Amino acid sequence: MALILPWVALSWFMWSWKSTVWRALAQETIPSRFVDIDEAIKKDFIQMPIWDFIWKFWMNSFRAIESQAIAEILWQNFDETFQVLSLWWWAVTIQQNVERIKKASFKLVYLDVPFDIIAQRLREDYDWNKDRVPFDEWKFWWLYNDRQEIYHWTADFVVSNMWEVEEAVEQILWKLKIAA
């Protein structure tokens, strides 16, 4: 049975399978509209892969564009059909982004995956030609641990996503019903 969702924004650490989870979630809801911030940035703001942009113009330039994209997407798409906003993994580290998302009445959900699972996914799925950032497991571990407090602090609720996408979707739907 399909459910009408409140507006939801997802925060995540890389390789948490956020796109897979949110596409599955969108199939369970009506009406649903999925906006993936990294796809919107690539298409509407930088016209190149994100890592290529970061390598060329540095991270601070990307973060400014990311904040602008969030503001514009929230402003332009604020209607009853806009329900799921998938953020890039740095978005909630900027307080202004969190404030904008919550002011727009979104429930901020952190898709939490233990680092050992993320590391396994990285080892199995990492593609330098596509991902364009050197894979250094220690640096990813440090970044993951550095971000955990921010992700948990900014989230309205946390959902575990170990291996089963369906379980993560069920957790989200259950927690949204409770929060409603």
Side-chain angles (χ1 to χ4, degrees), residues 42-116:
K42 285 189 281 189
K43 179 180 172 265
D44 299 331
F45 292 87
I46 62 175
Q47 292 80 42
M48 67 175 68
I50 290 174
W51 284 112
D52 289 351
F53 182 88
I54 291 170
W55 281 107
K56 188 172 182 178
F57 299 106
W58 300 101
M59 181 58 67
N60 287 341
S61 296
F62 173 75
R63 293 185 74 170
I65 289 170
E66 177 186 47
S67 293
Q68 177 187 357
I70 289 169
E72 288 186 20
I73 287 168
L74 290 172
W75 176 256
Q76 293 171 358
N77 295 289
F78 196 74
D79 64 34
E80 64 279 350
T81 64
F82 179 52
Q83 293 180 314
V84 180
L85 174 63
S86 180
L87 303 169
W88 216 54
W89 58 290
W90 278 300
V92 297
T93 64
I94 299 173
Q95 184 62 32
Q96 183 181 33
N97 292 340
V98 174
E99 290 168 1
R100 284 179 175 145
I101 290 162
K102 292 194 176 198
K103 185 177 181 182
S105 299
F106 277 75
K107 294 291 183 194
L108 190 54
V109 179
Y110 171 46
L111 190 57
D112 191 17
V113 179
F115 184 78
D116 59 326

Side-chain angles (χ1 to χ4, degrees), residues 9-42:
L10 166 70
S11 67
W12 60 289
F13 191 77
M14 61 179 93
W15 278 272
S16 295
W17 290 356
K18 57 113 181 170
S19 295
T20 303
V21 168
W22 288 108
R23 285 187 182 103
L25 179 64
Q27 291 178 356
E28 297 292 323
T29 64
I30 352 180
S32 59
R33 187 155 149 236
F34 175 85
V35 177
D36 194 335
I37 194 72
D38 45 340
E39 293 302 319
I41 289 170
K42 285 189 281 189

